[in-house]
PDB file of all heavy atoms in Angstrom:
ATOM      1  N   ARG A 103       3.491  26.649 -10.627  1.00  0.00           N
ATOM      2  CA  ARG A 103       2.243  26.985 -11.398  1.00  0.00           C
ATOM      3  C   ARG A 103       0.999  26.745 -10.581  1.00  0.00           C
ATOM      4  O   ARG A 103       0.038  27.441 -10.930  1.00  0.00           O
ATOM      5  CB  ARG A 103       2.194  26.000 -12.586  1.00  0.00           C
ATOM      6  CG  ARG A 103       0.976  25.482 -12.978  1.00  0.00           C
ATOM      7  CD  ARG A 103       1.113  25.067 -14.463  1.00  0.00           C
ATOM      8  NE  ARG A 103       0.672  23.659 -14.386  1.00  0.00           N
ATOM      9  CZ  ARG A 103       0.532  22.875 -15.589  1.00  0.00           C
ATOM     10  NH1 ARG A 103       0.900  23.559 -16.769  1.00  0.00           N
ATOM     11  NH2 ARG A 103       0.173  21.718 -15.752  1.00  0.00           N
ATOM     12  N   ARG A 141      30.420  40.883  -1.192  1.00  0.00           N
ATOM     13  CA  ARG A 141      30.031  42.279  -1.484  1.00  0.00           C
ATOM     14  C   ARG A 141      28.839  42.400  -2.394  1.00  0.00           C
ATOM     15  O   ARG A 141      28.899  41.896  -3.492  1.00  0.00           O
ATOM     16  CB  ARG A 141      31.273  42.928  -2.066  1.00  0.00           C
ATOM     17  CG  ARG A 141      31.085  44.477  -2.081  1.00  0.00           C
ATOM     18  CD  ARG A 141      32.511  45.137  -2.230  1.00  0.00           C
ATOM     19  NE  ARG A 141      33.314  44.924  -1.081  1.00  0.00           N
ATOM     20  CZ  ARG A 141      34.429  45.487  -0.696  1.00  0.00           C
ATOM     21  NH1 ARG A 141      35.063  46.206  -1.710  1.00  0.00           N
ATOM     22  NH2 ARG A 141      35.149  45.239   0.319  1.00  0.00           N
ATOM     23  N   SER A 144      22.404  44.486  -2.448  1.00  0.00           N
ATOM     24  CA  SER A 144      21.199  44.144  -1.547  1.00  0.00           C
ATOM     25  C   SER A 144      21.340  42.632  -1.288  1.00  0.00           C
ATOM     26  O   SER A 144      21.322  41.868  -2.231  1.00  0.00           O
ATOM     27  CB  SER A 144      19.805  44.428  -2.345  1.00  0.00           C
ATOM     28  OG  SER A 144      18.816  43.632  -1.865  1.00  0.00           O
ATOM     29  N   LYS A 146      19.001  40.861  -0.021  1.00  0.00           N
ATOM     30  CA  LYS A 146      17.744  40.138  -0.442  1.00  0.00           C
ATOM     31  C   LYS A 146      17.609  39.929  -2.036  1.00  0.00           C
ATOM     32  O   LYS A 146      17.396  38.879  -2.442  1.00  0.00           O
ATOM     33  CB  LYS A 146      16.473  41.055   0.013  1.00  0.00           C
ATOM     34  CG  LYS A 146      15.232  40.464   0.017  1.00  0.00           C
ATOM     35  CD  LYS A 146      14.115  41.258   0.785  1.00  0.00           C
ATOM     36  CE  LYS A 146      12.775  40.703   0.662  1.00  0.00           C
ATOM     37  NZ  LYS A 146      11.890  41.487   1.389  1.00  0.00           N
ATOM     38  N   TYR A 150      17.590  36.393  -4.023  1.00  0.00           N
ATOM     39  CA  TYR A 150      16.515  36.021  -4.888  1.00  0.00           C
ATOM     40  C   TYR A 150      17.160  35.628  -6.310  1.00  0.00           C
ATOM     41  O   TYR A 150      16.758  34.715  -6.870  1.00  0.00           O
ATOM     42  CB  TYR A 150      15.729  37.227  -5.245  1.00  0.00           C
ATOM     43  CG  TYR A 150      14.665  37.557  -4.146  1.00  0.00           C
ATOM     44  CD1 TYR A 150      14.530  36.851  -3.016  1.00  0.00           C
ATOM     45  CD2 TYR A 150      13.688  38.611  -4.372  1.00  0.00           C
ATOM     46  CE1 TYR A 150      13.431  37.174  -2.011  1.00  0.00           C
ATOM     47  CE2 TYR A 150      12.697  38.932  -3.452  1.00  0.00           C
ATOM     48  CZ  TYR A 150      12.540  38.100  -2.252  1.00  0.00           C
ATOM     49  OH  TYR A 150      11.628  38.384  -1.335  1.00  0.00           O
ATOM     50  N   ALA A 151      18.185  36.350  -6.673  1.00  0.00           N
ATOM     51  CA  ALA A 151      18.813  36.044  -7.969  1.00  0.00           C
ATOM     52  C   ALA A 151      19.408  34.539  -7.820  1.00  0.00           C
ATOM     53  O   ALA A 151      19.305  33.858  -8.815  1.00  0.00           O
ATOM     54  CB  ALA A 151      19.917  36.972  -8.225  1.00  0.00           C
ATOM     55  N   ASP A 154      16.729  32.265  -8.266  1.00  0.00           N
ATOM     56  CA  ASP A 154      16.246  32.223  -9.603  1.00  0.00           C
ATOM     57  C   ASP A 154      16.954  31.260 -10.480  1.00  0.00           C
ATOM     58  O   ASP A 154      16.282  30.655 -11.518  1.00  0.00           O
ATOM     59  CB  ASP A 154      16.354  33.594 -10.245  1.00  0.00           C
ATOM     60  CG  ASP A 154      15.467  34.746  -9.677  1.00  0.00           C
ATOM     61  OD1 ASP A 154      14.454  34.430  -8.947  1.00  0.00           O
ATOM     62  OD2 ASP A 154      15.857  35.915  -9.895  1.00  0.00           O
ATOM     63  N   GLY A 158      15.143  28.497 -13.050  1.00  0.00           N
ATOM     64  CA  GLY A 158      15.484  28.529 -14.570  1.00  0.00           C
ATOM     65  C   GLY A 158      15.907  27.005 -14.925  1.00  0.00           C
ATOM     66  O   GLY A 158      15.532  26.582 -16.000  1.00  0.00           O
ATOM     67  N   TRP A 162      14.720  24.653 -18.184  1.00  0.00           N
ATOM     68  CA  TRP A 162      15.475  24.398 -19.398  1.00  0.00           C
ATOM     69  C   TRP A 162      16.380  23.058 -19.371  1.00  0.00           C
ATOM     70  O   TRP A 162      16.625  22.583 -20.506  1.00  0.00           O
ATOM     71  CB  TRP A 162      16.423  25.576 -19.932  1.00  0.00           C
ATOM     72  CG  TRP A 162      17.440  25.924 -18.870  1.00  0.00           C
ATOM     73  CD1 TRP A 162      17.501  26.964 -18.142  1.00  0.00           C
ATOM     74  CD2 TRP A 162      18.746  25.213 -18.809  1.00  0.00           C
ATOM     75  NE1 TRP A 162      18.751  27.016 -17.424  1.00  0.00           N
ATOM     76  CE2 TRP A 162      19.512  25.993 -17.857  1.00  0.00           C
ATOM     77  CE3 TRP A 162      19.372  24.013 -19.441  1.00  0.00           C
ATOM     78  CZ2 TRP A 162      20.651  25.511 -17.359  1.00  0.00           C
ATOM     79  CZ3 TRP A 162      20.738  23.708 -18.954  1.00  0.00           C
ATOM     80  CH2 TRP A 162      21.347  24.505 -17.989  1.00  0.00           C
ATOM     81  N   ASP A 168      23.309  19.451 -23.600  1.00  0.00           N
ATOM     82  CA  ASP A 168      24.671  19.630 -23.843  1.00  0.00           C
ATOM     83  C   ASP A 168      25.496  19.546 -22.383  1.00  0.00           C
ATOM     84  O   ASP A 168      26.687  19.357 -22.389  1.00  0.00           O
ATOM     85  CB  ASP A 168      25.007  21.098 -24.255  1.00  0.00           C
ATOM     86  CG  ASP A 168      24.532  21.237 -25.765  1.00  0.00           C
ATOM     87  OD1 ASP A 168      24.160  20.238 -26.374  1.00  0.00           O
ATOM     88  OD2 ASP A 168      24.540  22.447 -26.183  1.00  0.00           O
ATOM     89  N   GLN A 177      28.997  24.504 -12.129  1.00  0.00           N
ATOM     90  CA  GLN A 177      29.180  25.905 -12.774  1.00  0.00           C
ATOM     91  C   GLN A 177      28.185  26.907 -12.024  1.00  0.00           C
ATOM     92  O   GLN A 177      28.490  28.041 -11.803  1.00  0.00           O
ATOM     93  CB  GLN A 177      28.914  25.745 -14.210  1.00  0.00           C
ATOM     94  CG  GLN A 177      30.077  25.174 -14.881  1.00  0.00           C
ATOM     95  CD  GLN A 177      30.193  25.452 -16.345  1.00  0.00           C
ATOM     96  OE1 GLN A 177      29.896  26.565 -16.727  1.00  0.00           O
ATOM     97  NE2 GLN A 177      30.647  24.408 -17.157  1.00  0.00           N
ATOM     98  N   TYR A 178      27.011  26.552 -11.733  1.00  0.00           N
ATOM     99  CA  TYR A 178      25.906  27.403 -11.190  1.00  0.00           C
ATOM    100  C   TYR A 178      26.459  27.704  -9.655  1.00  0.00           C
ATOM    101  O   TYR A 178      26.095  28.780  -9.176  1.00  0.00           O
ATOM    102  CB  TYR A 178      24.543  26.732 -11.112  1.00  0.00           C
ATOM    103  CG  TYR A 178      23.754  27.209 -12.531  1.00  0.00           C
ATOM    104  CD1 TYR A 178      24.347  27.091 -13.718  1.00  0.00           C
ATOM    105  CD2 TYR A 178      22.583  27.773 -12.412  1.00  0.00           C
ATOM    106  CE1 TYR A 178      23.653  27.585 -14.871  1.00  0.00           C
ATOM    107  CE2 TYR A 178      21.842  28.221 -13.423  1.00  0.00           C
ATOM    108  CZ  TYR A 178      22.420  28.085 -14.724  1.00  0.00           C
ATOM    109  OH  TYR A 178      21.691  28.523 -15.879  1.00  0.00           O
ATOM    110  N   ARG A 184      29.858  34.290  -7.814  1.00  0.00           N
ATOM    111  CA  ARG A 184      29.957  35.608  -8.523  1.00  0.00           C
ATOM    112  C   ARG A 184      28.970  36.536  -8.106  1.00  0.00           C
ATOM    113  O   ARG A 184      29.145  37.778  -7.976  1.00  0.00           O
ATOM    114  CB  ARG A 184      29.928  35.294 -10.061  1.00  0.00           C
ATOM    115  CG  ARG A 184      31.254  34.642 -10.473  1.00  0.00           C
ATOM    116  CD  ARG A 184      31.254  34.528 -12.011  1.00  0.00           C
ATOM    117  NE  ARG A 184      32.553  34.180 -12.584  1.00  0.00           N
ATOM    118  CZ  ARG A 184      33.043  34.306 -13.808  1.00  0.00           C
ATOM    119  NH1 ARG A 184      32.146  34.778 -14.696  1.00  0.00           N
ATOM    120  NH2 ARG A 184      34.082  33.874 -14.290  1.00  0.00           N
ATOM    121  N   LEU A 185      27.586  36.076  -8.107  1.00  0.00           N
ATOM    122  CA  LEU A 185      26.571  36.945  -7.705  1.00  0.00           C
ATOM    123  C   LEU A 185      26.754  37.546  -6.295  1.00  0.00           C
ATOM    124  O   LEU A 185      26.354  38.723  -6.105  1.00  0.00           O
ATOM    125  CB  LEU A 185      25.199  36.262  -7.793  1.00  0.00           C
ATOM    126  CG  LEU A 185      24.657  35.800  -9.122  1.00  0.00           C
ATOM    127  CD1 LEU A 185      23.445  34.893  -9.026  1.00  0.00           C
ATOM    128  CD2 LEU A 185      24.327  36.943 -10.032  1.00  0.00           C
ATOM    129  N   GLY A 187      29.513  38.375  -5.049  1.00  0.00           N
ATOM    130  CA  GLY A 187      30.717  39.074  -5.172  1.00  0.00           C
ATOM    131  C   GLY A 187      31.835  38.473  -4.186  1.00  0.00           C
ATOM    132  O   GLY A 187      32.487  39.282  -3.556  1.00  0.00           O
TER     133      GLY A 187
ATOM    134  N   ARG B 103       4.386  27.793 -18.919  1.00  0.00           N
ATOM    135  CA  ARG B 103       3.567  26.779 -18.571  1.00  0.00           C
ATOM    136  C   ARG B 103       2.820  26.205 -19.665  1.00  0.00           C
ATOM    137  O   ARG B 103       2.587  24.939 -19.726  1.00  0.00           O
ATOM    138  CB  ARG B 103       2.490  27.344 -17.556  1.00  0.00           C
ATOM    139  CG  ARG B 103       1.200  26.699 -17.481  1.00  0.00           C
ATOM    140  CD  ARG B 103       0.645  26.991 -16.202  1.00  0.00           C
ATOM    141  NE  ARG B 103      -0.669  27.803 -16.415  1.00  0.00           N
ATOM    142  CZ  ARG B 103      -1.420  28.006 -15.494  1.00  0.00           C
ATOM    143  NH1 ARG B 103      -1.257  27.708 -14.216  1.00  0.00           N
ATOM    144  NH2 ARG B 103      -2.522  28.701 -15.644  1.00  0.00           N
ATOM    145  N   ARG B 141      34.918  36.913 -18.515  1.00  0.00           N
ATOM    146  CA  ARG B 141      35.569  35.611 -18.154  1.00  0.00           C
ATOM    147  C   ARG B 141      34.594  34.617 -17.657  1.00  0.00           C
ATOM    148  O   ARG B 141      34.032  34.834 -16.688  1.00  0.00           O
ATOM    149  CB  ARG B 141      36.691  35.876 -17.223  1.00  0.00           C
ATOM    150  CG  ARG B 141      37.577  34.712 -17.071  1.00  0.00           C
ATOM    151  CD  ARG B 141      38.912  35.070 -16.593  1.00  0.00           C
ATOM    152  NE  ARG B 141      39.733  35.903 -17.473  1.00  0.00           N
ATOM    153  CZ  ARG B 141      41.038  36.314 -17.205  1.00  0.00           C
ATOM    154  NH1 ARG B 141      41.552  35.976 -16.070  1.00  0.00           N
ATOM    155  NH2 ARG B 141      41.605  37.032 -18.133  1.00  0.00           N
ATOM    156  N   SER B 144      31.582  28.679 -19.309  1.00  0.00           N
ATOM    157  CA  SER B 144      30.953  28.357 -20.446  1.00  0.00           C
ATOM    158  C   SER B 144      29.953  29.492 -20.881  1.00  0.00           C
ATOM    159  O   SER B 144      29.161  29.916 -20.079  1.00  0.00           O
ATOM    160  CB  SER B 144      29.909  27.046 -20.026  1.00  0.00           C
ATOM    161  OG  SER B 144      28.924  26.956 -21.032  1.00  0.00           O
ATOM    162  N   LYS B 146      27.563  29.310 -22.969  1.00  0.00           N
ATOM    163  CA  LYS B 146      26.046  28.918 -23.090  1.00  0.00           C
ATOM    164  C   LYS B 146      25.475  28.878 -21.623  1.00  0.00           C
ATOM    165  O   LYS B 146      24.341  29.342 -21.406  1.00  0.00           O
ATOM    166  CB  LYS B 146      26.145  27.469 -23.592  1.00  0.00           C
ATOM    167  CG  LYS B 146      24.808  27.190 -24.193  1.00  0.00           C
ATOM    168  CD  LYS B 146      24.820  25.913 -25.017  1.00  0.00           C
ATOM    169  CE  LYS B 146      23.324  25.456 -25.437  1.00  0.00           C
ATOM    170  NZ  LYS B 146      23.492  24.171 -26.266  1.00  0.00           N
ATOM    171  N   ALA B 151      21.963  31.315 -17.398  1.00  0.00           N
ATOM    172  CA  ALA B 151      21.899  31.881 -16.033  1.00  0.00           C
ATOM    173  C   ALA B 151      21.328  33.277 -16.124  1.00  0.00           C
ATOM    174  O   ALA B 151      20.594  33.717 -15.267  1.00  0.00           O
ATOM    175  CB  ALA B 151      23.291  31.840 -15.344  1.00  0.00           C
ATOM    176  N   ASP B 154      17.797  32.985 -16.819  1.00  0.00           N
ATOM    177  CA  ASP B 154      17.041  32.573 -15.629  1.00  0.00           C
ATOM    178  C   ASP B 154      16.586  33.745 -14.708  1.00  0.00           C
ATOM    179  O   ASP B 154      15.586  33.673 -14.001  1.00  0.00           O
ATOM    180  CB  ASP B 154      17.969  31.505 -14.779  1.00  0.00           C
ATOM    181  CG  ASP B 154      18.223  30.285 -15.539  1.00  0.00           C
ATOM    182  OD1 ASP B 154      17.603  29.982 -16.494  1.00  0.00           O
ATOM    183  OD2 ASP B 154      19.202  29.654 -15.084  1.00  0.00           O
ATOM    184  N   GLY B 158      12.849  34.247 -13.015  1.00  0.00           N
ATOM    185  CA  GLY B 158      12.659  34.289 -11.639  1.00  0.00           C
ATOM    186  C   GLY B 158      11.865  35.510 -11.272  1.00  0.00           C
ATOM    187  O   GLY B 158      10.916  35.551 -10.481  1.00  0.00           O
ATOM    188  N   TRP B 162       8.547  36.130  -8.791  1.00  0.00           N
ATOM    189  CA  TRP B 162       8.396  36.627  -7.339  1.00  0.00           C
ATOM    190  C   TRP B 162       8.229  38.183  -7.386  1.00  0.00           C
ATOM    191  O   TRP B 162       7.735  38.609  -6.222  1.00  0.00           O
ATOM    192  CB  TRP B 162       9.810  36.387  -6.588  1.00  0.00           C
ATOM    193  CG  TRP B 162      10.983  36.912  -7.222  1.00  0.00           C
ATOM    194  CD1 TRP B 162      11.937  36.265  -7.830  1.00  0.00           C
ATOM    195  CD2 TRP B 162      11.504  38.313  -7.049  1.00  0.00           C
ATOM    196  NE1 TRP B 162      13.027  37.153  -8.172  1.00  0.00           N
ATOM    197  CE2 TRP B 162      12.780  38.389  -7.660  1.00  0.00           C
ATOM    198  CE3 TRP B 162      10.954  39.408  -6.353  1.00  0.00           C
ATOM    199  CZ2 TRP B 162      13.467  39.642  -7.623  1.00  0.00           C
ATOM    200  CZ3 TRP B 162      11.697  40.618  -6.470  1.00  0.00           C
ATOM    201  CH2 TRP B 162      12.905  40.735  -7.174  1.00  0.00           C
ATOM    202  N   ASP B 168       9.161  44.943  -1.744  1.00  0.00           N
ATOM    203  CA  ASP B 168      10.236  45.796  -1.217  1.00  0.00           C
ATOM    204  C   ASP B 168      11.047  46.526  -2.275  1.00  0.00           C
ATOM    205  O   ASP B 168      11.777  47.452  -1.912  1.00  0.00           O
ATOM    206  CB  ASP B 168      11.150  44.950  -0.413  1.00  0.00           C
ATOM    207  CG  ASP B 168      10.694  44.334   0.837  1.00  0.00           C
ATOM    208  OD1 ASP B 168       9.571  44.684   1.235  1.00  0.00           O
ATOM    209  OD2 ASP B 168      11.322  43.502   1.368  1.00  0.00           O
ATOM    210  N   GLN B 177      19.708  46.525 -10.505  1.00  0.00           N
ATOM    211  CA  GLN B 177      20.636  45.548  -9.742  1.00  0.00           C
ATOM    212  C   GLN B 177      20.865  44.289 -10.487  1.00  0.00           C
ATOM    213  O   GLN B 177      21.919  43.800 -10.536  1.00  0.00           O
ATOM    214  CB  GLN B 177      20.012  45.413  -8.354  1.00  0.00           C
ATOM    215  CG  GLN B 177      20.185  46.604  -7.452  1.00  0.00           C
ATOM    216  CD  GLN B 177      20.027  46.181  -5.906  1.00  0.00           C
ATOM    217  OE1 GLN B 177      20.509  45.329  -5.524  1.00  0.00           O
ATOM    218  NE2 GLN B 177      19.451  47.176  -5.194  1.00  0.00           N
ATOM    219  N   TYR B 178      19.806  43.928 -11.215  1.00  0.00           N
ATOM    220  CA  TYR B 178      19.999  42.647 -11.985  1.00  0.00           C
ATOM    221  C   TYR B 178      20.828  42.891 -13.014  1.00  0.00           C
ATOM    222  O   TYR B 178      21.566  41.915 -13.552  1.00  0.00           O
ATOM    223  CB  TYR B 178      18.579  41.995 -12.355  1.00  0.00           C
ATOM    224  CG  TYR B 178      17.956  41.066 -11.398  1.00  0.00           C
ATOM    225  CD1 TYR B 178      17.822  41.403 -10.041  1.00  0.00           C
ATOM    226  CD2 TYR B 178      17.635  39.730 -11.743  1.00  0.00           C
ATOM    227  CE1 TYR B 178      17.341  40.519  -9.129  1.00  0.00           C
ATOM    228  CE2 TYR B 178      17.173  38.860 -10.771  1.00  0.00           C
ATOM    229  CZ  TYR B 178      16.960  39.152  -9.458  1.00  0.00           C
ATOM    230  OH  TYR B 178      16.406  38.251  -8.592  1.00  0.00           O
ATOM    231  N   ARG B 184      28.198  40.607 -13.218  1.00  0.00           N
ATOM    232  CA  ARG B 184      28.977  39.644 -12.377  1.00  0.00           C
ATOM    233  C   ARG B 184      29.025  38.210 -12.901  1.00  0.00           C
ATOM    234  O   ARG B 184      30.049  37.481 -12.870  1.00  0.00           O
ATOM    235  CB  ARG B 184      28.371  39.631 -10.865  1.00  0.00           C
ATOM    236  CG  ARG B 184      28.601  40.921 -10.150  1.00  0.00           C
ATOM    237  CD  ARG B 184      28.071  40.796  -8.705  1.00  0.00           C
ATOM    238  NE  ARG B 184      28.615  41.914  -7.977  1.00  0.00           N
ATOM    239  CZ  ARG B 184      28.549  42.093  -6.617  1.00  0.00           C
ATOM    240  NH1 ARG B 184      28.157  40.902  -5.834  1.00  0.00           N
ATOM    241  NH2 ARG B 184      29.042  43.011  -5.945  1.00  0.00           N
ATOM    242  N   LEU B 185      27.899  37.692 -13.404  1.00  0.00           N
ATOM    243  CA  LEU B 185      27.835  36.385 -13.997  1.00  0.00           C
ATOM    244  C   LEU B 185      28.770  36.315 -15.006  1.00  0.00           C
ATOM    245  O   LEU B 185      29.466  35.185 -15.265  1.00  0.00           O
ATOM    246  CB  LEU B 185      26.411  36.006 -14.314  1.00  0.00           C
ATOM    247  CG  LEU B 185      25.452  35.772 -13.278  1.00  0.00           C
ATOM    248  CD1 LEU B 185      24.026  35.595 -13.818  1.00  0.00           C
ATOM    249  CD2 LEU B 185      25.709  34.514 -12.351  1.00  0.00           C
ATOM    250  N   GLY B 187      31.473  37.690 -15.394  1.00  0.00           N
ATOM    251  CA  GLY B 187      32.837  38.021 -14.950  1.00  0.00           C
ATOM    252  C   GLY B 187      33.367  39.218 -15.551  1.00  0.00           C
ATOM    253  O   GLY B 187      34.659  39.257 -15.929  1.00  0.00           O
TER     254      GLY B 187
END
Side-chain angles (χ1 to χ4, degrees):
Chain A
R103 149 160 119 171
R141 189 157 292 185
S144 157
K146 198 168 175 180
Y150 280 4
D154 292 345
W162 64 257
D168 291 348
Q177 288 198 36
Y178 269 53
R184 286 189 172 193
L185 289 173
Chain B
R103 154 161 115 170
R141 189 159 292 185
S144 158
K146 196 167 176 183
D154 291 345
W162 63 257
D168 291 349
Q177 288 199 37
Y178 269 54
R184 285 189 172 192
L185 289 173

